[in-house]
Amino acid sequence: MELRKVKFEVLRFRPEQDDEPVFQTYEIECMEDWVVLDALNAIKDDVDPTLSHRWSCRMGVCGSCGMLVNGRPVLTCAAFVRNYSGTIRVEPLSNFPIVRDLVVELDSFVAKIKSVKPWIIRKIEKDVAEGEYRQSPEQLDEFKQFSMCINCALCYAACPVLANEPDFVGPAAIALAHRYNLDSRDEGNAERFEVLDSHDGVYACSYANECSQVCPKHVDPGGAIQQAKLNDFLQWAHLLPKRSFT
Amino acid sequence: MSAHAPAAPKTRTAPPRPPSGFPLGFYRYRNYVLFAATSVFMALGCFALLEAVYALSRGEAAWNAWLAAMAKPHFLVLSTVILLFTLYFAFRFGWVGRKIGAGRIGPVPRPPLPMLVLGVAPLGGFVTLWLILLAVLAGVLR
């Protein structure tokens, strides 16, 4: 297979020695079918073992390897080197503090996801012996798209609102909240209303829609937020019931 | 580890970096900034409208004075800018409404009727109400 020499500019931050992040250039030979993640692994294995980056499944499922490639948030396991020309610039996800090199701190992201209670809330749990909660294909269709999120945080890296307002709940968390609010088995939209209707909730979004553009799973969190705004308004106006039993 | 063990000191982190091209280097971020800026110009427009209503309440002389003031070139330029920003706001609002109306935005094509009705009808009503209000105001202030 053909090899091609490619130059990579990688943002490095080693807290023990760097005051601020700096770019470091690597030039390596890449195979035709390599993705950017393969190149980063090759750099770490053969050139510079101190380079730090996250990855796991290598097939766009785990959402660990999100980074900026030439300024755009992508899963590096799905970004083919052959699709880029010239020097490829790799940076950690924007809008997140950098722990080391390409590794960002996701504490705030996880906290925001948790804040919208992304699980099914029931007044009374059915006994296991009574069987599963039944749902029709139409009821599943209502939320299925929004359940495809892999929590890769690319939408947070693309969001201009988060650049201005770091406390904004953010696209993935709101899409997830909306997913559970649309679920026929769920009875907890009043709990989520508190978060979605807050100052940092749905109305902070003015729909730049870049989150939906970068989403690798076509969840369309931007669309989910706009629908969540409508739901929120209808709940606020008591036109939609608030289901709260907890 | 014991539940009462002291937490490990946190590693020093570098501050978050803004998205590439933020705020004006990328068209979607420019649109975001422009949309935010509409609030300033629409507030100016509202202020001018309130002033007009106030002048109208004070009689014909005050109204004519207000009209003369608004006919000055710099106010005409400002009015044009306000109009452009208001139109941009209306366009963006309609664009978002389209998103709300389409219950299925991704690969699943079927738009569920409740979302369509709940999404498009109020927004259509909102825009229609604004158009009626503008027409009435245009008639009154003509």
Side-chain angles (χ1 to χ4, degrees), chain A residues 45-66:
Chain A
D45 289 344
D46 305 328
V47 184
D48 185 352
T50 68
L51 180 68
S52 296
H53 62 288
R54 279 197 185 111
W55 62 281
S56 184
C57 75
R58 303 207 298 184
M59 53 177 144
V61 174
C62 73
S64 306
C65 65

Side-chain angles (χ1 to χ4, degrees), chain B residues 50-67:
Chain B
L50 285 174
E51 210 183 6
V53 172
Y54 179 63
L56 205 57
S57 71
R58 287 169 57 216
E60 194 177 347
W63 171 246
N64 286 333
W66 184 83
L67 280 183

Side-chain angles (χ1 to χ4, degrees), chain A residues 15 18 141-142 207 220, chain B residues 12 17 29 92 99 104-105:
Chain A
D18 296 327
D141 270 356
E142 291 291 322
Y207 194 45
D220 195 1
Chain B
R12 183 171 72 88
R17 295 152 60 85
Y29 299 152
R92 288 273 301 191
K99 269 285 188 190
R104 291 290 159 269
I105 304 147

Side-chain angles (χ1 to χ4, degrees), chain A residues 83-111:
Chain A
N83 292 340
Y84 297 93
S85 57
T87 303
I88 298 176
R89 179 173 274 211
V90 187
E91 299 163 81
L93 291 178
S94 39
N95 291 335
F96 290 105
I98 303 167
V99 176
R100 186 179 195 88
D101 298 338
L102 300 166
V103 179
V104 294
E105 189 180 77
L106 292 168
D107 294 8
S108 63
F109 175 71
V110 174

Side-chain angles (χ1 to χ4, degrees), chain A residues 83-221:
Chain A
N83 292 340
Y84 297 93
S85 57
T87 303
I88 298 176
R89 179 173 274 211
V90 187
E91 299 163 81
L93 291 178
S94 39
N95 291 335
F96 290 105
I98 303 167
V99 176
R100 186 179 195 88
D101 298 338
L102 300 166
V103 179
V104 294
E105 189 180 77
L106 292 168
D107 294 8
S108 63
F109 175 71
V110 174
K112 285 170 184 175
I113 293 280
K114 204 174 163 187
S115 74
V116 300
K117 304 189 177 180
W119 53 81
I120 287 175
I121 299 171
R122 299 283 302 180
K123 179 187 178 188
I124 303 167
E125 286 289 343
K126 255 175 36 175
D127 193 81
V128 177
E130 290 177 55
E132 68 275 24
Y133 294 104
R134 305 296 295 267
Q135 199 164 51
S136 69
E138 288 74 26
Q139 288 171 325
L140 174 66
D141 270 356
E142 291 291 322
F143 66 85
K144 189 178 177 190
Q145 178 185 349
F146 304 126
S147 69
M148 297 298 180
C149 176
I150 56 171
N151 296 331
C152 61
L154 297 192
C155 53
Y156 281 61
C159 178
V161 180
L162 276 163
N164 272 336
E165 302 173 45
D167 291 333
F168 172 45
V169 176
I174 295 176
L176 205 54
H178 191 53
R179 171 251 177 274
Y180 281 96
N181 282 344
L182 292 176
D183 194 319
S184 60
R185 299 163 296 179
D186 183 81
E187 298 172 328
N189 67 3
E191 278 81 353
R192 295 184 199 103
F193 177 82
E194 300 301 320
V195 181
L196 299 183
D197 192 55
S198 67
H199 175 263
D200 300 312
V202 288
Y203 299 108
C205 168
S206 57
Y207 194 45
N209 201 35
E210 186 59 5
C211 54
S212 296
Q213 299 300 316
V214 301
C215 178
K217 294 294 170 187
H218 308 294
V219 170
D220 195 1

Side-chain angles (χ1 to χ4, degrees), chain B residues 40-118:
Chain B
V40 175
F41 291 95
M42 287 175 71
L44 282 175
C46 289
F47 181 71
L49 205 63
L50 285 174
E51 210 183 6
V53 172
Y54 179 63
L56 205 57
S57 71
R58 287 169 57 216
E60 194 177 347
W63 171 246
N64 286 333
W66 184 83
L67 280 183
M70 290 306 284
K72 287 177 182 165
H74 55 277
F75 274 121
L76 286 176
V77 170
L78 184 66
S79 298
T80 309
V81 172
I82 289 170
L83 178 67
L84 289 175
F85 271 90
T86 308
L87 288 174
Y88 180 71
F89 179 88
F91 169 74
R92 288 273 301 191
F93 207 92
W95 194 44
V96 172
R98 181 183 60 88
K99 269 285 188 190
I100 295 172
R104 291 290 159 269
I105 304 147
V108 186
R110 185 186 63 81
L113 194 62
M115 284 307 289
L116 198 70
V117 173
L118 291 175

